[in-house]
Amino acid sequence: MVFPNLPSAAVTAVALLSTFSNALPAGLMSQVKRSDSLKFAFGSEKVRGVNLGGWFVLEPWITPSIFEATPDNVVDEYTLCQTLGATTAKNRLESHWSSFIQEGDFSEMKDFGINMVRIPIGYWSVSPLSGDPYVQGAYTFLGEALDWANAQGIKVMIDLHGAPGSQNGFDNSGRRGSIGWTQGNTVAQTITALNKIRDDHASHPAVAAIELVNEPMGPSLDMDTVRQFYMNGWGNLENSNVAVTFHDAFEGVNAWNDWGSGMWNLLLDTHHYEVFDAGSLQLSVGEHVSTACGFGGAMATNNKWTIAGEWTGAMTDCAQWLNGRGIGARYDGTYSVSGQGSSYIGDCAGKYQGTVAGLGLADHNNIKTFISAQISAFEKADGWIFWTWKNEAAPEWHFQNLTQAGLVPQPLSSASGC
Ligand SMILES: *[C@@H]1O[C@H](CO)[C@@H](O)[C@H](O)[C@H]1NC(C)=O
């Protein structure tokens, strides 16, 4: 077998595996799921996690207050930094990084039964590229967060959420618009950032997983390039005692079973949302639940550890700017992006924007039912990480407040519905 571009240690390991795989297929195949050297017992212990979304990679809908003070063409962290300029942007972001999540959040997570946090970070915070407007400083706070998590016995997945050029064109990659990742030197630059994360943090006692890149847009990318990047990224991490986490690249939750032979400690991250297409938005609560249950069942048939690394209590896309600043909601027919419209399904006004405390009784009960069912669905496989721990004005997406208000089962092991 030839794996071009793999580091020599990985080539040796793959060669050894292929040499012995005929003699010992069962034993070696079980190394595809192998937790003895890891800091979290993936496969036997369920991941019960929250994302720290909007902390080190801004999203207008998570912290609208940062964006409301800027012109309409500021739609992501890239344009925010470009428009404010380095000094102002750095001041604004330093005050956000030091206040949005604090040490006390981790003890509350612990009280809620959370055993993992997924922390998105952009390449520009780790290994900046000249010419970018982004400002640096988040990486220092990441280091602090690892210690806060560790003090509570919570494990961390460091998630490279923004890759050079943008791997998906979403605002949450740092830069909304076109997909430039895989062009030019961007893959090599991504590997440079991942290797720095490995060298700085992989040996930290809290760091149980590193995700190679969040949500690469498989249908728009050359998947051979994505798979080669995953293989090289794995090769660089294989001796680091972290679960090498890779997103399904929107290829489907069951699309990766034939890939990854000869690699171990792979963790497949699939994201489950039922709010980003008209069909899902029209489902009844019962249909939302059965969709999630079916998805959890599909996750559980995979040959690799599989988690739902993002999911939500939302059954609408009504949260302000969820689809991007200046883009409306499909649910109430106000969505508009390059000529695509949407048809009215229901009213967003007041219902899904504001606070958890402000939800009406019916929404409160429906969201509670949906969250419990999803937890039970994803725990048919290897667990889940909710998107997101907190935000300013999107109640269905606010794990902290939803839990305080009794909409998340406590203890988490009491979840039911699938
Ligand atoms: C979350 O709870 C805090 C504290 O009660 C409150 O100030 C905030 O508005 C709430 N946010 C949401 C989205 O529920």
Side-chain angles (χ1 to χ4, degrees), residues 180-208:
W181 186 64
T182 68
Q183 293 169 27
N185 294 325
T186 53
V187 170
Q189 290 158 348
T190 308
I191 292 285
T192 299
L194 287 166
N195 286 350
K196 178 157 173 58
I197 291 170
R198 175 198 62 196
D199 294 346
D200 293 340
H201 295 310
S203 63
H204 191 285
V207 177

Side-chain angles (χ1 to χ4, degrees), residues 13 26 69 76 104 116 127 143 159 196 201 248 279 285 295 299 312 321 325 361 377 379 411:
D76 51 26
M116 192 169 296
S127 162
D159 152 38
K196 178 157 173 58
H201 295 310
D248 67 14
V285 180
F295 191 82
M299 286 169 65
T312 172
W321 296 348
R325 185 177 187 180
L361 185 60
E379 291 197 6

Side-chain angles (χ1 to χ4, degrees), residues 354-357 391-395 398 400-401 404:
T355 64
V356 172
N391 63 68
E392 290 175 354
H398 198 306
Q400 181 187 31
N401 285 13
Q404 286 174 0

Side-chain angles (χ1 to χ4, degrees), residues 208-268:
I210 294 178
E211 182 155 5
L212 299 174
V213 70
N214 179 62
E215 296 188 347
M217 186 54 72
S220 304
L221 293 166
D222 173 9
M223 280 304 298
D224 286 339
T225 304
V226 176
R227 281 186 287 264
Q228 184 68 52
F229 162 74
Y230 280 167
M231 194 176 278
N232 294 356
W234 175 83
N236 293 332
L237 285 170
E238 62 160 323
N239 295 319
S240 297
N241 300 339
V242 293
V244 182
T245 310
F246 67 105
H247 180 261
D248 67 14
F250 304 106
E251 297 292 300
V253 59
N254 297 130
W256 291 87
N257 282 324
D258 293 338
W259 179 84
S261 106
M263 296 186 246
W264 52 88
N265 290 342
L266 285 169
L267 174 62
L268 175 60

